[in-house]
Amino acid sequence: MTVTKAVEDLANAFRRLSGVGPKTAQRYTFQLLARDRVAAAQIADTLKFAIDHVSHCKRCNNFSESPTCRICASPSRDESKLCIVETPADLTSFEDTGVYQGLYFVLMGRISPLEGIGPDDLGINELMETLSNHPVKEIIIATNSTVEGDATAEFLTKMLAKHGYHATRLARGLPLGGEIEYMDKGTLIEAFQRRIPA
Amino acid sequence: MTVTKAVEDLANAFRRLSGVGPKTAQRYTFQLLARDRVAAAQIADTLKFAIDHVSHCKRCNNFSESPTCRICASPSRDESKLCIVETPADLTSFEDTGVYQGLYFVLMGRISPLEGIGPDDLGINELMETLSNHPVKEIIIATNSTVEGDATAEFLTKMLAKHGYHATRLARGLPLGGEIEYMDKGTLIEAFQRRIPA
């Protein structure tokens, strides 16, 4: 925009969001300054507050405003189980199912050479510290079923084995409601090879 | 996310951006807090600064940090021409061509019943004030060639005619590099009906 510097600076700041190009950054800037200054203030304020107050739970590495998060602090969780997930959103997905009552560890990402994220950029040191302070009986590696998620899971499996831990991973196969006609080859091959008693 | 309130508040704030749903808001929140606190601070700071310092040029209604923007304040612009555009981005597109040396008026939107934007929400009062303070000889209505842009142009044409102004609009037809085979029917009809001497 051939406009004032403050507007250009704001559009450039929005471009730092992943997946946001010049057009989207311009759209956000225009909307907030021309039509919705209330939303603008809301974003600025909540962002500033989060920067100042949100850190990581020292046990599970999830976002937390207190040193230990609500889940890790809960007395009703099974401390003998640890489920390793990529992101807080993945944790929420499992919590929504109610299938799991153990604790979590949030890697805050996955190994991704394209994004320049190696093992050292994930919370591996924090994971090992958590394991030495709170030994667990079962570790479930619940990374995404993607190339990057699988690479992360393999790295974790090897590393945990070195320290004497045996981990499990999520089952692979047809998702519920999955129609074979529309399923990708990889899933069909896994579903065939890992077939279960009828 | 089943995470801390500050994180939820931030994700909810991002959802106020147009076109941003829960997944994208979560992605922005995760990226900024987990990976890029520098970008987070940059967005918060530039947004706060823009809220506090960016208002509208009193003559052209474009974003401006000063009462009159750079273009309106420039002595080299032709004050007898006024080009009415929808957004600052449209203004920039014309400026980038160098085809036009007159002044602008930025509506900051277009008539859009779906978005709840009527004539009163555009800078029409400011436009009439500008015209009474700085009478012009030629008015070019340069709204988008969309249903909403056309409705806005028709509204402006009628309103300006009532006040004795005669306005022009941008030419319609094939765009440069436009291949007839791939052009929509509406454009082809206009190109035929408005055909020009060869």
Side-chain angles (χ1 to χ4, degrees), chain B residues 28-92:
Chain B
Y28 290 169
T29 301
F30 175 71
Q31 181 209 337
L32 292 178
L33 294 182
R35 297 241 163 271
D36 205 348
R37 297 244 171 174
V38 174
Q42 191 182 334
I43 292 173
D45 293 345
T46 53
L47 189 49
K48 185 76 175 59
F49 188 88
I51 292 168
D52 291 342
H53 292 86
V54 175
S55 186
H56 294 275
C57 170
K58 63 177 193 234
R59 184 158 178 178
C60 75
N61 199 39
N62 196 0
F63 292 133
S64 178
E65 285 174 78
S66 48
T68 306
C69 75
R70 278 182 302 193
I71 292 177
C72 289
S74 163
S76 66
R77 309 291 300 212
D78 179 355
E79 291 195 311
S80 72
K81 290 186 171 65
L82 189 76
C83 175
I84 303 176
V85 294
E86 293 182 17
T87 65
D90 296 344
L91 183 156
T92 302

Side-chain angles (χ1 to χ4, degrees), chain A residues 26-52:
Chain A
Q26 212 171 59
R27 187 160 52 81
Y28 290 169
T29 301
F30 175 72
Q31 180 208 340
L32 291 178
L33 294 182
R35 296 239 161 272
D36 204 349
R37 297 242 173 175
V38 174
Q42 192 182 333
I43 292 172
D45 294 345
T46 54
L47 190 49
K48 185 77 175 56
F49 187 89
I51 292 168
D52 292 341

Side-chain angles (χ1 to χ4, degrees), chain A residues 4 16 35 42 65 108, chain B residues 4 16 35 42 65 108:
Chain A
T4 188
R16 308 231 3 206
R35 296 239 161 272
Q42 192 182 333
E65 284 175 78
M108 291 288 170
Chain B
T4 189
R16 311 240 351 215
R35 297 241 163 271
Q42 191 182 334
E65 285 174 78
M108 290 289 170

Side-chain angles (χ1 to χ4, degrees), chain A residues 177-197:
Chain A
E179 296 188 71
I180 290 166
E181 181 179 356
Y182 299 110
M183 208 56 57
D184 65 289
K185 282 186 195 166
T187 299
L188 290 182
I189 290 169
E190 295 252 19
F192 235 96
Q193 288 178 341
R194 298 173 193 279
R195 59 195 179 275
I196 49 181

Side-chain angles (χ1 to χ4, degrees), chain A residues 60-76:
Chain A
C60 76
N61 199 38
N62 197 1
F63 292 134
S64 179
E65 284 175 78
S66 48
T68 305
C69 77
R70 279 182 302 192
I71 292 177
C72 288
S74 164
S76 66

